[in-house]
Amino acid sequence: MENSVPDRQYTSDEMMTVAAARALGDGQICFVGIGLPSTAANLARTTHAPDLVLIYESGTLGSKPDRLPASIGDGVLAETADAVISVPEVFNYWLQPGRVDVGFLGAAQIDKYGNINTTVIGDYAHPKVRLPGAGGAPEIAASCGEVFVVVRQSHRSFVDRVDFVTSLGHGRGDGERERLGMRGAGPTLVITDLGVMRPDETGELTLHAVHPGVTVDQVRAATGWDLKVAADLTVSAAPTAAELTTLRELKARS
């Protein structure tokens, strides 16, 4: 990519956010989770995808914030939206009928089949950590055309099997999602601070790209299962100066 900057001039989080933003196409309808997904989606909208339609769970359609929202209830989302509708309408008339192209989610844990946990770490009845919970993520994972997940990678977050399935990915693989009657394709892309993964034909996540300066061994060392690597593994293009400037300006205004 033209005008890429040296890796010492950007952080691993910035590389992850830029890679996630690039995955979104202009004109797509995107149901946005707060946090890292929202940062990436707003970066995409303010760079290469000006007609990206952002939907937040609070009922804002077509939000165009000039800063990163603090939560789904941040007033800037309503103030800049094309329309504001009720939460039930978001789910009943937009999400469940299949009108959303991409669901963009984060995760506390994700496993080899793209199942997401945002509920508890440890046993459900006696958890080590109780997490924020599901919100609308299970419906997003079930009904969007496809799901992108952005999450920092470590042995704590990338586990062989999640402690609790909050949002179904590909179940236990081999077509379980389809057998359960899920509308959408589920997780098709997982972007981390180390690289990019996609599911193989069984639904198991496979490494397809590493970010500049990252080795396959580093990615495997941060993964809680024996990670598959695609034969045509690539290296992500470094962020451009324009992408970094826009991202940093969005954060500075927040």
CSV table of all heavy atoms in Angstrom, one decimal, residues 119-142:
chain,number,residue,atom,x,y,z
A,119,THR,N,-19.2,-13.4,28.9
A,119,THR,CA,-20.1,-13.6,30.0
A,119,THR,C,-19.3,-13.9,31.3
A,119,THR,O,-19.4,-13.1,32.3
A,119,THR,CB,-21.1,-14.8,29.7
A,119,THR,OG1,-21.9,-14.5,28.6
A,119,THR,CG2,-22.1,-15.0,30.9
A,120,VAL,N,-18.6,-15.0,31.4
A,120,VAL,CA,-17.8,-15.3,32.6
A,120,VAL,C,-16.5,-16.0,32.2
A,120,VAL,O,-16.4,-16.7,31.1
A,120,VAL,CB,-18.6,-16.3,33.5
A,120,VAL,CG1,-19.8,-15.7,34.1
A,120,VAL,CG2,-18.9,-17.6,32.8
A,121,ILE,N,-15.5,-15.8,33.0
A,121,ILE,CA,-14.3,-16.6,33.0
A,121,ILE,C,-14.3,-17.6,34.1
A,121,ILE,O,-14.5,-17.3,35.3
A,121,ILE,CB,-13.0,-15.8,33.1
A,121,ILE,CG1,-13.0,-14.7,32.0
A,121,ILE,CG2,-11.8,-16.6,33.0
A,121,ILE,CD1,-12.9,-15.2,30.6
A,122,GLY,N,-14.2,-18.9,33.7
A,122,GLY,CA,-14.4,-20.0,34.7
A,122,GLY,C,-15.7,-20.6,34.7
A,122,GLY,O,-16.5,-20.4,33.8
A,123,ASP,N,-16.1,-21.3,35.8
A,123,ASP,CA,-17.4,-21.9,35.9
A,123,ASP,C,-18.5,-20.9,36.0
A,123,ASP,O,-18.4,-19.9,36.7
A,123,ASP,CB,-17.4,-22.8,37.1
A,123,ASP,CG,-18.7,-23.5,37.3
A,123,ASP,OD1,-19.1,-24.4,36.5
A,123,ASP,OD2,-19.5,-23.2,38.2
A,124,TYR,N,-19.6,-21.1,35.3
A,124,TYR,CA,-20.7,-20.1,35.2
A,124,TYR,C,-21.2,-19.9,36.6
A,124,TYR,O,-21.5,-18.7,37.0
A,124,TYR,CB,-21.8,-20.6,34.3
A,124,TYR,CG,-22.9,-19.6,34.2
A,124,TYR,CD1,-22.8,-18.5,33.3
A,124,TYR,CD2,-24.1,-19.7,35.0
A,124,TYR,CE1,-23.8,-17.6,33.2
A,124,TYR,CE2,-25.1,-18.7,34.9
A,124,TYR,CZ,-24.9,-17.7,34.0
A,124,TYR,OH,-25.9,-16.7,33.9
A,125,ALA,N,-21.4,-20.9,37.4
A,125,ALA,CA,-22.0,-20.7,38.8
A,125,ALA,C,-21.0,-20.1,39.7
A,125,ALA,O,-21.5,-19.4,40.7
A,125,ALA,CB,-22.5,-22.1,39.3
A,126,HIS,N,-19.7,-20.3,39.5
A,126,HIS,CA,-18.7,-19.8,40.4
A,126,HIS,C,-17.6,-19.2,39.6
A,126,HIS,O,-16.5,-19.8,39.6
A,126,HIS,CB,-18.2,-20.9,41.4
A,126,HIS,CG,-19.3,-21.5,42.2
A,126,HIS,ND1,-19.9,-20.9,43.3
A,126,HIS,CD2,-19.9,-22.7,42.0
A,126,HIS,CE1,-20.9,-21.7,43.8
A,126,HIS,NE2,-20.9,-22.8,43.1
A,127,PRO,N,-17.8,-18.1,38.9
A,127,PRO,CA,-16.8,-17.6,38.0
A,127,PRO,C,-15.6,-17.0,38.6
A,127,PRO,O,-15.8,-16.4,39.7
A,127,PRO,CB,-17.6,-16.6,37.1
A,127,PRO,CG,-18.7,-16.1,38.1
A,127,PRO,CD,-19.1,-17.3,38.9
A,128,LYS,N,-14.5,-17.0,38.0
A,128,LYS,CA,-13.3,-16.3,38.4
A,128,LYS,C,-13.5,-14.8,38.1
A,128,LYS,O,-13.1,-13.9,38.9
A,128,LYS,CB,-12.1,-16.8,37.7
A,128,LYS,CG,-11.7,-18.2,38.0
A,128,LYS,CD,-10.5,-18.7,37.2
A,128,LYS,CE,-10.1,-20.1,37.4
A,128,LYS,NZ,-9.0,-20.5,36.5
A,129,VAL,N,-14.1,-14.5,37.0
A,129,VAL,CA,-14.4,-13.2,36.6
A,129,VAL,C,-15.8,-13.1,35.9
A,129,VAL,O,-16.1,-14.0,35.1
A,129,VAL,CB,-13.4,-12.6,35.5
A,129,VAL,CG1,-13.7,-11.2,35.1
A,129,VAL,CG2,-12.0,-12.7,36.1
A,130,ARG,N,-16.6,-12.2,36.3
A,130,ARG,CA,-17.9,-12.0,35.7
A,130,ARG,C,-17.8,-10.8,34.7
A,130,ARG,O,-17.4,-9.7,35.1
A,130,ARG,CB,-19.0,-11.8,36.6
A,130,ARG,CG,-20.4,-11.7,36.0
A,130,ARG,CD,-21.5,-11.8,37.0
A,130,ARG,NE,-21.6,-13.1,37.6
A,130,ARG,CZ,-22.1,-14.2,37.1
A,130,ARG,NH1,-22.6,-14.1,35.8
A,130,ARG,NH2,-22.2,-15.3,37.7
A,131,LEU,N,-18.0,-11.1,33.4
A,131,LEU,CA,-17.8,-10.1,32.4
A,131,LEU,C,-19.1,-9.3,32.1
A,131,LEU,O,-20.1,-9.6,32.7
A,131,LEU,CB,-17.3,-10.8,31.1
A,131,LEU,CG,-16.0,-11.6,31.3
A,131,LEU,CD1,-15.8,-12.5,30.1
A,131,LEU,CD2,-14.9,-10.7,31.4
A,132,PRO,N,-19.0,-8.3,31.2
A,132,PRO,CA,-20.2,-7.4,31.0
A,132,PRO,C,-21.4,-8.1,30.5
A,132,PRO,O,-22.5,-7.7,30.7
A,132,PRO,CB,-19.7,-6.4,30.0
A,132,PRO,CG,-18.2,-6.3,30.2
A,132,PRO,CD,-17.8,-7.7,30.6
A,133,GLY,N,-21.2,-9.2,29.8
A,133,GLY,CA,-22.4,-10.0,29.4
A,133,GLY,C,-22.6,-9.9,27.9
A,133,GLY,O,-21.8,-9.5,27.1
A,134,ALA,N,-23.8,-10.4,27.5
A,134,ALA,CA,-24.1,-10.6,26.1
A,134,ALA,C,-24.5,-9.3,25.3
A,134,ALA,O,-24.1,-9.1,24.2
A,134,ALA,CB,-25.2,-11.6,26.0
A,135,GLY,N,-25.5,-8.5,25.9
A,135,GLY,CA,-26.1,-7.4,25.2
A,135,GLY,C,-26.7,-8.0,23.9
A,135,GLY,O,-27.4,-9.1,23.9
A,136,GLY,N,-26.5,-7.3,22.8
A,136,GLY,CA,-27.1,-7.8,21.5
A,136,GLY,C,-26.2,-8.7,20.7
A,136,GLY,O,-26.6,-9.1,19.6
A,137,ALA,N,-25.0,-9.1,21.3
A,137,ALA,CA,-24.0,-9.8,20.5
A,137,ALA,C,-24.5,-11.2,20.0
A,137,ALA,O,-24.2,-11.6,18.9
A,137,ALA,CB,-22.7,-10.0,21.3
A,138,PRO,N,-25.3,-12.0,20.8
A,138,PRO,CA,-25.7,-13.2,20.3
A,138,PRO,C,-26.6,-13.1,19.1
A,138,PRO,O,-26.5,-13.9,18.1
A,138,PRO,CB,-26.5,-13.8,21.5
A,138,PRO,CG,-25.9,-13.2,22.7
A,138,PRO,CD,-25.6,-11.8,22.2
A,139,GLU,N,-27.5,-12.1,19.0
A,139,GLU,CA,-28.3,-11.9,17.9
A,139,GLU,C,-27.5,-11.4,16.7
A,139,GLU,O,-27.7,-11.8,15.5
A,139,GLU,CB,-29.4,-10.8,18.2
A,139,GLU,CG,-30.5,-11.3,19.1
A,139,GLU,CD,-31.4,-12.3,18.5
A,139,GLU,OE1,-31.4,-12.4,17.2
A,139,GLU,OE2,-32.2,-12.9,19.2
A,140,ILE,N,-26.5,-10.5,17.0
A,140,ILE,CA,-25.6,-10.1,15.9
A,140,ILE,C,-24.9,-11.2,15.3
A,140,ILE,O,-24.8,-11.4,14.0
A,140,ILE,CB,-24.6,-9.0,16.4
A,140,ILE,CG1,-25.4,-7.8,16.9
A,140,ILE,CG2,-23.6,-8.7,15.4
A,140,ILE,CD1,-24.5,-6.8,17.7
A,141,ALA,N,-24.4,-12.1,16.1
A,141,ALA,CA,-23.6,-13.3,15.6
A,141,ALA,C,-24.5,-14.2,14.9
A,141,ALA,O,-24.0,-14.9,13.9
A,141,ALA,CB,-23.0,-14.0,16.8
A,142,ALA,N,-25.8,-14.3,15.2
A,142,ALA,CA,-26.7,-15.2,14.6
A,142,ALA,C,-27.2,-14.7,13.2
A,142,ALA,O,-27.4,-15.5,12.3
A,142,ALA,CB,-27.8,-15.5,15.5
